[in-house]
Amino acid sequence: MQPKASILLKKGKEESMERFHPWVFSGAIDRIEGPLEEGDLVVVRKSNGDVIGYGHCAIGSIAVRLFSFGETPPGTEFWEMRIRQAYHLRERMGLTDAPDTNVYRLVHGEGDGLPGLIADYYNGTVVLQAHTVGMWLVREAITVALKAVLGEKLAAVYDKSAKTLPFKANIEARDGYLFGTSVNGEVQEYGNRFKVDWLEGQKTGFFIDQRENRRLLSTYARDKSVLNMFCYTGGFSFYAMQGGAKLVHSVDSSAKAIELTRENVELNFPGDSRHEAFVADGFEYLQDIQDKYDLIVLDPPAFAKHRNALPQALQGYKRLNTKAFQQIRPGGILFTFSCSQVVTRNNFREAVFSAAAIAGREVRILHQLSQPVDHPINIYHPEGEYLKGLVLYVE
Ligand code: SAH
């Protein structure tokens, strides 16, 4: 692969990239040599001309996302090499051949050296989401690489990038199969069955990132009355049922999500009357749940998508958690999460700390949760740590 253009950095602006941070901000660029279109492969150079690495360029404050460092341009085998590395990691973690789990994230952007690309594996079908035009343009090559790496384990590749590509790029992408077709949208996670709708569902269809946290919840659920707020496909709910919960209420503002939750609960616990699901706004529902629940899960959508929304997002987390602290039963357990990338672990903990103080409850931290092994964090890219959770004991 040969870059058409060179990007030269301002003097002294190469430091973070020399420490393998994959992002080149537009403010660091001195000049561009050669023709350049959004999504092109570019070479990034220091002011003295030395090569730092290669990546895809984009319009916006992150002007280049580097995926290959050093002098040598990535060769034709590059995508396959990266996908193989990603696969090997999951293989070593026991995810690719697990007896009771056939859903995992295969490629997690920067965490797998492929900034801008997400690939989730659903029992034979890989759902791709490109967040950059560069990755979208190489989707056919990625598909070839997936076939080479997964072999018989791959039945279909579905591209679901229409909504994730930067809207400014003005690309009219259509979602669709790049290889094969598949209808079987059922997967298993630790033996629990989920219907996944990658055609219409949120993100790639399922929130794989909560797998280990859902499992932890089941260990605390015995004889508890559980509220699963922001339930989406209901995962936390039937892990709670599996753990012996007395009653489980699932709440989401999306009617479609509640429908999926009901279907999934029925799939795992047919006819079980312990579960009820409600379409409601989270903040409103939490107005009046006085003493009803002794285990509450709060897993809201990202409140801040950009840095300038951070203060408002922190207020949101504070408000939400305050309501839960005020009303959870004595001896209750709160599983509370933030999946906003711009909210740091400390930001989140402070928001939850303020909420506890407002409610005036005695609160202890039992677990500090994160994202699972198939959502790895590149040590040079701390921004990749997006999922933060706290499990709290409320006296
Ligand atoms: N806990 C889920 C993932 C949650 S994703 C899991 O384990 O799979 C966040 C969910 O919050 C989405 O399903 C979205 O529909 C819902 N949501 C967004 N805003 C909401 C609101 N104001 N009230 C209730 N639900 C909301």
Side-chain angles (χ1 to χ4, degrees):
M1 296 192 269
Q2 283 303 326
K4 281 189 245 158
S6 263
I7 291 204
L8 280 116
L9 300 179
K10 290 177 186 158
K11 207 168 163 35
K13 289 288 185 189
E14 65 281 354
E15 222 177 89
S16 66
M17 291 145 251
E18 283 189 317
R19 279 184 273 112
F20 308 113
H21 193 288
W23 293 350
V24 180
F25 288 98
S26 56
I29 296 175
D30 180 39
R31 61 182 197 281
I32 299 164
E33 288 174 356
L36 190 66
E37 277 183 59
E38 166 121 36
D40 278 350
L41 176 73
V42 292
V43 55
V44 177
R45 296 175 185 276
K46 292 204 263 190
S47 56
N48 68 3
D50 288 355
V51 173
I52 294 179
Y54 298 80
H56 286 142
C57 73
I59 302 164
S61 78
I62 305 173
V64 182
R65 288 172 175 83
L66 293 162
F67 45 75
S68 177
F69 288 89
E71 187 81 36
T72 321
T76 45
E77 73 304 333
F78 180 80
W79 305 118
E80 186 180 325
M81 177 199 71
R82 276 280 189 265
I83 291 189
R84 203 171 285 284
Q85 285 175 330
Y87 183 79
H88 279 159
L89 171 72
R90 277 77 184 164
E91 193 174 37
R92 282 186 202 115
M93 297 300 131
L95 283 166
T96 57
D97 293 295
D100 56 358
T101 300
N102 54 25
V103 50
Y104 60 89
R105 176 155 290 187
L106 174 58
V107 176
H108 184 60
E110 282 83 353
D112 286 296
L114 290 168
L117 186 70
I118 296 297
D120 287 341
Y121 182 85
Y122 292 113
N123 190 21
T125 298
V126 169
V127 180
L128 289 182
Q129 266 189 339
H131 290 256
T132 61
V133 176
M135 282 300 175
W136 187 71
L137 291 173
V138 297
R139 62 197 182 286
E140 300 286 348
I142 298 284
T143 304
V144 171
L146 286 166
K147 283 194 219 172
V149 173
L150 292 167
E152 284 181 354
K153 288 182 171 159
L154 186 70
V157 178
Y158 184 71
D159 171 30
K160 199 184 179 192
S161 307
K163 289 210 186 80
T164 54
L165 285 168
F167 127 99
K168 276 191 227 142
N170 216 2
I171 283 196
E172 289 186 13
R174 287 242 197 103
D175 293 340
Y177 286 95
L178 299 170
F179 165 63
T181 51
S182 53
V183 281
N184 182 9
E186 192 181 310
V187 298
Q188 273 197 45
E189 184 191 86
Y190 288 129
N192 289 299
R193 295 164 70 189
F194 282 91
K195 280 209 171 140
V196 179
D197 183 355
W198 48 80
L199 302 182
E200 304 291 333
Q202 300 179 32
K203 304 274 170 126
T204 66
F206 180 56
F207 287 81
I208 302 171
D209 56 1
Q210 291 285 24
R211 181 182 59 243
E212 307 306 329
N213 303 332
R214 287 193 273 258
R215 184 145 95 146
L216 178 68
L217 176 107
S218 73
T219 64
Y220 286 108
R222 181 150 306 278
D223 295 329
K224 299 284 193 309
S225 297
V226 179
L227 170 63
N228 178 11
M229 175 54 74
F230 309 100
C231 66
Y232 189 38
T233 54
F236 281 107
S237 303
F238 46 91
Y239 275 76
M241 293 170 80
Q242 193 193 48
K246 192 161 64 185
L247 156 167
V248 179
H249 288 166
S250 306
V251 179
D252 200 288
S253 59
S254 147
K256 173 90 191 150
I258 290 301
E259 198 184 305
L260 270 168
T261 295
R262 288 197 178 118
E263 268 181 58
N264 281 330
V265 170
E266 193 54 32
L267 206 58
N268 291 283
F269 296 93
D272 196 320
S273 60
R274 288 178 296 160
H275 181 259
E276 276 186 87
F278 310 98
V279 179
D281 173 75
F283 286 89
E284 272 173 34
Y285 188 90
L286 290 171
Q287 286 297 9
D288 190 20
I289 53 160
Q290 202 65 44
D291 271 348
K292 221 163 144 180
Y293 301 109
D294 28 32
L295 207 174
I296 298 179
V297 182
L298 297 176
D299 184 23
F303 284 166
K305 295 241 159 65
H306 299 285
R307 197 159 294 280
N308 47 15
L310 180 63
Q312 216 183 335
L314 295 177
Q315 281 302 321
Y317 290 118
K318 192 163 93 180
R319 220 153 52 84
L320 192 64
N321 284 280
T322 301
K323 286 186 196 293
F325 281 132
Q326 283 168 337
Q327 301 180 77
I328 197 166
R329 280 188 190 148
I333 290 179
L334 177 63
F335 274 65
T336 183
F337 297 95
S338 162
C339 61
S340 308
Q341 194 176 52
V342 298
V343 173
T344 65
R345 198 162 273 283
N346 263 344
N347 288 154
F348 181 58
R349 192 162 149 176
E350 275 166 27
V352 176
F353 155 85
S354 304
I358 292 169
R361 300 287 295 265
E362 220 177 280
V363 175
R364 276 172 277 177
I365 299 175
L366 304 181
H367 301 270
Q368 309 205 39
L369 306 178
S370 183
Q371 58 216 60
V373 291
D374 49 341
H375 293 61
I377 303 158
N378 173 350
I379 200 160
Y380 305 113
H381 178 256
E383 295 88 340
E385 183 180 5
Y386 72 100
L387 184 62
K388 298 145 295 267
L390 291 168
V391 181
L392 305 159
Y393 182 79
V394 188
E395 200 66 59

